[in-house]
Amino acid sequence: MRALSRGFLAAVCLTALSCQTARTPIFLSHEQWVEEVRKRGVDPSRIPNPLQVTDSMRQAANLWAGPGDPPARLERLQRALFDPDQFPFTYFTRGTLTAAEAFFRREGNCLSFTNLFVALGRSLGIPVTTALVQRIIGSEREGDLIVVNTHVVAVLEYAGGFYTYDFDRSRQVKPVRIKPLDDMWITALYLNNRGADELRAGHPEVALRFFQDAVALAPTFAPAWANLGVAYRRVGDTPQALSAYRRALELEPSNPTVLSNLASLFRSLGREQEAQQALRAANLAQASPHQLLVRGDVELAAGRFAEAKKLYRRALRLNPQLVDAVLALARAELAEGHLEKAKRLVNKASKLSPQDPRVQALKEELAGRPNR
């Protein structure tokens, strides 16, 4: 079984988000941004404005965008950012930069790249903003953390329609459900990702400050409250962790990330019944593959093999390359006494990840078992 002591971490392009967005403030000047941040109880001198632009950024934006209506200018701007001759850019999934940092360093993750485009577009006087794509796209394991992924795009509302600009070039499907964000939310997303970076680096005390500032700027940002709970738990403050998780659940009662984290905490406290209740309350329609595996483990431990395998297969459908799901199915078949099925699944896992020590260990365990 996978231990429920794992934390589920939500970060944009690295994590899952579902939110209620305030209508204002949006399209703030830097001076207005400073004032708004201060009004929300955060010291603007200790956090950067993720959309602040420099003179060199304005000059580049004007050169690349050229004349025309806003959609045409933004399309040319996006093409320029994708052109390695004009803008050599190294994409990475780790580390979140401000727009100015991404422009200067020519690198960043998808949130950094999207915010860079938004900042450049706004420097042209075009009211473009960042938006969340309301669809969970997966999860990944990093040590004892499960990072739940989602996606952001840039969006322009113009002439009665929406134009979207995607900076994940591997994506072929245009997003249908998006939620445009105001500038405080965009800042909160940046801070949330920075907190996630620090938490994954083993710096929970530093992560705490980022998450605290994120929820101060966007108080209805449920995944940031969940991440704050993870950070509090990492520093050993259980009461504050419970409080953060409960606040997240007030906002999103069936959020699977929050409920998985709460279940993990309950289990660490020996409150098994409450842990299982939390897991069963999760909306599995929104669950990532790893969250489905955790729920499946609960069913397997209770001897409900069919339910467990259903959840494992569902996780595998969401991510056919997920070795964890194949191994979970193999263990479920083994628990039912289906040795040959378990062996076939382990062989499949071995093809997906030949060097995975978990695969090799289970293969050796099965080799030592007699056929029935």
Side-chain angles (χ1 to χ4, degrees):
M1 284 183 61
R2 278 162 295 278
L4 288 187
S5 59
R6 285 182 187 160
F8 285 80
L9 193 61
V12 187
C13 301
L14 304 169
T15 56
L17 298 171
S18 175
C19 62
Q20 301 297 316
T21 306
R23 293 186 180 276
T24 56
I26 195 166
F27 310 130
L28 302 178
S29 68
H30 180 65
E31 293 71 26
Q32 291 170 326
W33 178 89
V34 168
E35 180 182 355
E36 189 65 34
V37 167
R38 186 175 288 117
K39 277 199 302 189
R40 299 187 184 212
V42 177
D43 182 356
S45 68
R46 76 181 191 188
I47 64 171
N49 180 348
L51 297 179
Q52 190 170 9
V53 297
T54 63
D55 288 339
S56 58
M57 292 170 68
R58 290 188 186 91
Q59 293 167 6
N62 274 292
L63 174 66
W64 292 333
D69 63 20
R73 300 188 79 195
L74 290 180
E75 184 180 348
R76 284 194 293 270
L77 177 60
Q78 185 180 40
R79 284 204 304 268
L81 291 178
F82 281 161
D83 184 347
D85 292 329
Q86 295 189 74
F87 191 73
F89 189 88
T90 302
Y91 179 86
F92 53 73
T93 58
R94 301 292 177 264
T96 302
L97 305 177
T98 66
E101 289 169 337
F103 180 82
F104 177 76
R105 291 166 53 172
R106 301 304 203 255
E107 63 182 13
N109 61 12
C110 76
L111 180 61
S112 310
F113 206 179
T114 302
N115 282 346
L116 169 60
F117 176 80
V118 168
L120 292 172
R122 289 189 184 186
S123 76
L124 301 170
I126 300 173
V128 61
T129 194
T130 303
L132 288 172
V133 177
Q134 294 185 296
R135 180 175 72 89
I136 289 182
I137 63 171
S139 58
E140 56 188 308
R141 188 183 60 189
E142 294 188 7
D144 64 346
L145 286 173
I146 302 297
V147 181
V148 186
N149 305 306
T150 195
H151 189 55
V152 292
V153 295
V155 63
L156 171 70
E157 185 176 6
Y158 182 77
F162 279 95
Y163 294 79
T164 59
Y165 305 86
D166 200 328
F167 285 84
D168 181 351
R169 283 173 282 187
S170 67
R171 291 169 61 87
Q172 302 299 321
V173 180
K174 191 171 183 177
V176 247
R177 295 183 62 214
I178 59 174
K179 185 175 285 292
L181 304 175
D182 69 36
D183 290 17
M184 290 298 99
W185 265 89
I186 292 171
T187 306
L189 295 189
Y190 166 82
L191 294 171
N192 181 66
N193 266 30
R194 286 291 308 276
D197 294 339
E198 294 294 343
L199 203 56
R200 285 155 44 190
H203 308 142
E205 296 85 357
V206 180
L208 267 176
R209 178 174 65 81
F210 284 114
F211 295 138
Q212 287 166 342
D213 288 345
V215 298
L217 295 181
T220 56
F221 186 177
W225 283 104
N227 287 346
L228 181 60
V230 174
Y232 273 127
R233 185 178 174 190
R234 288 298 173 88
V235 299
D237 194 335
T238 298
Q240 288 283 18
L242 284 170
S243 177
Y245 291 149
R246 285 168 178 152
R247 175 60 180 143
L249 289 174
E250 289 173 6
L251 298 166
E252 296 182 8
S254 60
N255 184 302
T257 301
V258 182
L259 287 162
S260 295
N261 282 332
L262 183 59
S264 172
L265 183 52
F266 280 147
R267 178 159 282 183
S268 73
L269 298 172
R271 295 159 63 173
E272 180 62 27
Q273 183 176 359
E274 290 168 284
Q276 296 211 23
Q277 287 174 345
L279 286 172
R280 291 185 181 282
N283 182 356
L284 295 185
Q286 300 173 354
S288 74
H290 283 94
Q291 289 166 333
L292 291 168
L293 295 184
V294 170
R295 173 67 183 276
D297 287 347
V298 171
E299 300 297 331
L300 185 62
R304 294 185 285 268
F305 303 122
E307 291 85 349
K309 289 192 290 185
K310 182 178 178 181
L311 289 160
Y312 296 151
R313 291 190 186 104
R314 185 169 171 180
L316 195 57
R317 284 196 300 272
L318 289 175
N319 184 355
Q321 304 301 310
L322 185 58
V323 175
D324 300 60
V326 181
L327 290 176
L329 273 170
R331 292 191 182 96
E333 295 292 357
L334 187 60
E336 283 193 285
H338 303 153
L339 183 60
E340 288 306 314
K341 287 184 178 180
K343 286 182 176 179
R344 286 196 293 270
L345 286 162
V346 170
N347 287 335
K348 178 179 179 179
S350 184
K351 291 176 183 178
L352 290 173
S353 184
Q355 305 304 319
D356 192 319
R358 300 168 302 159
V359 176
Q360 298 305 316
L362 188 53
K363 183 181 287 190
E364 291 172 8
E365 178 185 342
L366 295 182
R369 295 201 178 197
N371 291 321
R372 295 180 180 176

